[in-house]
Amino acid sequence: MKITAIEAIPYAIPYTQPLKFASGEVHTAEHVLVRVHTDEGLVGIADAPPRPFTYGETQESVIGVIEKIFAAQLVGADVFARELIHARLHRTVGNPAAKSAIDMALWDVTGQALDRPVTHLLGGYTDRMRVSHMLGFEAPQRMADEASRMRDTYGITVFKVKVGRRPVRLDIDVCRALRETLGDEAELYVDGNRGWTASEAAAALREFDELGMTLAEELCPADDVLGRRRLVQQCRVPFVADESATTPAEVTRSLLGGDATAVSIKTARTGFTHSQRVLFQCEGMGAEVVMGNQIDTQLGTVCTVAFGAAYASSSRRAGELSNFLDMSDDLLTQPLVITDGTLAVRERPGLGVAIDEDKLSRYRQDR
Ligand code: MUC
Ligand code: MG
């Protein structure tokens, strides 16, 4: 089966509330829907969320690189020749969201062709994951209220708290308010998006220990090499590399160099193929993984849970699977449902989802 065309469709859907964190803020999902067409009539889909503050991609760059470079390299290629396709994509540096969307759309086609869900093809370990909800910057009481609403409405009891503001006390107060409101049964962990220096982060870690935080992610820049290494040595819980380790090679360097002791896997930036490589590397090196969220839509979240649920090691911890709840609308015909704090995989062939064409017409920006 051959690739005949790759579409890259820009669209914009506003969030009901902005998500703010140390490296940026997002008010509208300005993403790119990628559709890979084949000569057998099967069409694979995936979402590309550009994150200029993390990887330098924009909506325009995702469309540009797909239309100007990747389409020309891939049209005519065999859908199942995954390694050949990746070798061609690899000729262009960077562009992780654009490459990953193509990769996942091809897995969607493969699943449809074999009449099997992608999650079964990947590993088929379980049919659902526990959900962790990400809380953006706000005043302590508002963040605690939001977490209570998520617990009462969806049964979510795991929360990733965005930190990295100055003074450090601001975020300590938030974590304290969350612990007091949610009690000891809630799991809380923090993500600094490189906002603090190593010494600010070290001071915060002492308080986080008392509050029972279970993970610490990117509290200071990995580029501050020695400071980061010292911080990781002081950290009593797994220290997670997210944006500092986004390729298999960076993950190896990060774990060997002492920049991190755990890794966030985001299908939005490593697709399924490279997420597998990162996961297997982490297993081989004894590092835990967390399924992370790139402020994903429902389509992005379907991909994260399909991958996370496919393996024992990626489904052990709660996955960050719920920030689509902050969007005012979505493109899928059948919305995702979180119940009892869990999200189920789609059990239909491929990714098991379809785009609502009326909604796509409403939100697309190229017509
Ligand atoms: C995270 O884990 O850092 C914020 C921006 C983005 O792309 O992902 C996040 C969440
Ligand atoms: Mg992060």
Side-chain angles (χ1 to χ4, degrees), residues 180-235:
E180 276 164 14
T181 303
L182 300 170
D184 286 342
E185 58 279 13
E187 179 183 344
L188 300 174
Y189 60 102
V190 290
D191 181 2
N193 289 110
R194 300 158 285 139
W196 285 327
T197 62
S199 51
E200 285 169 329
L205 270 186
R206 289 191 281 278
E207 309 243 12
F208 291 154
D209 268 351
E210 261 176 47
L211 292 167
M213 300 288 146
T214 57
L215 298 167
E217 180 169 318
E218 299 284 5
L219 295 186
C220 71
D223 286 353
D224 298 349
V225 182
L226 295 182
R228 169 77 168 242
R229 212 173 275 176
R230 255 195 329 271
L231 183 68
V232 172
Q233 281 163 2
Q234 291 168 39
C235 189

Side-chain angles (χ1 to χ4, degrees), residues 4-50:
T4 51
I6 305 178
E7 276 183 286
I9 305 169
Y11 68 92
I13 301 179
Y15 286 89
T16 50
Q17 53 186 18
L19 184 76
K20 299 184 182 173
F21 41 95
S23 56
E25 55 186 74
V26 174
H27 296 254
T28 300
E30 292 178 312
H31 292 193
V32 180
L33 176 68
V34 174
R35 291 205 270 219
V36 177
H37 297 259
T38 65
D39 61 358
E40 294 188 17
L42 297 179
V43 180
I45 59 173
D47 198 42

Side-chain angles (χ1 to χ4, degrees), residues 165-302:
R165 287 179 285 189
R166 294 194 171 94
V168 173
R169 173 64 36 205
L170 270 178
D171 294 328
I172 306 290
D173 288 348
V174 165
C175 293
R176 200 171 293 286
L178 285 164
R179 179 57 77 208
E180 276 164 14
T181 303
L182 300 170
D184 286 342
E185 58 279 13
E187 179 183 344
L188 300 174
Y189 60 102
V190 290
D191 181 2
N193 289 110
R194 300 158 285 139
W196 285 327
T197 62
S199 51
E200 285 169 329
L205 270 186
R206 289 191 281 278
E207 309 243 12
F208 291 154
D209 268 351
E210 261 176 47
L211 292 167
M213 300 288 146
T214 57
L215 298 167
E217 180 169 318
E218 299 284 5
L219 295 186
C220 71
D223 286 353
D224 298 349
V225 182
L226 295 182
R228 169 77 168 242
R229 212 173 275 176
R230 255 195 329 271
L231 183 68
V232 172
Q233 281 163 2
Q234 291 168 39
C235 189
R236 290 172 29 187
V237 294
F239 194 104
V240 183
D242 175 11
E243 59 267 38
S244 65
T246 64
T247 65
E250 283 172 1
V251 166
T252 308
R253 279 195 287 269
S254 182
L255 293 173
L256 290 179
D259 298 344
T261 49
V263 171
S264 173
I265 294 183
K266 293 183 174 176
T267 51
R269 69 169 174 231
T270 37
F272 293 136
T273 305
H274 285 161
S275 293
Q276 272 185 324
R277 290 181 187 170
V278 168
L279 179 72
F280 298 158
Q281 248 177 297
C282 289
E283 287 180 352
M285 295 173 84
E288 282 190 54
V289 304
V290 183
M291 291 308 300
N293 187 312
Q294 210 152 290
I295 324 178
D296 293 306
T297 58
Q298 296 197 24
L299 178 52
T301 304
V302 161

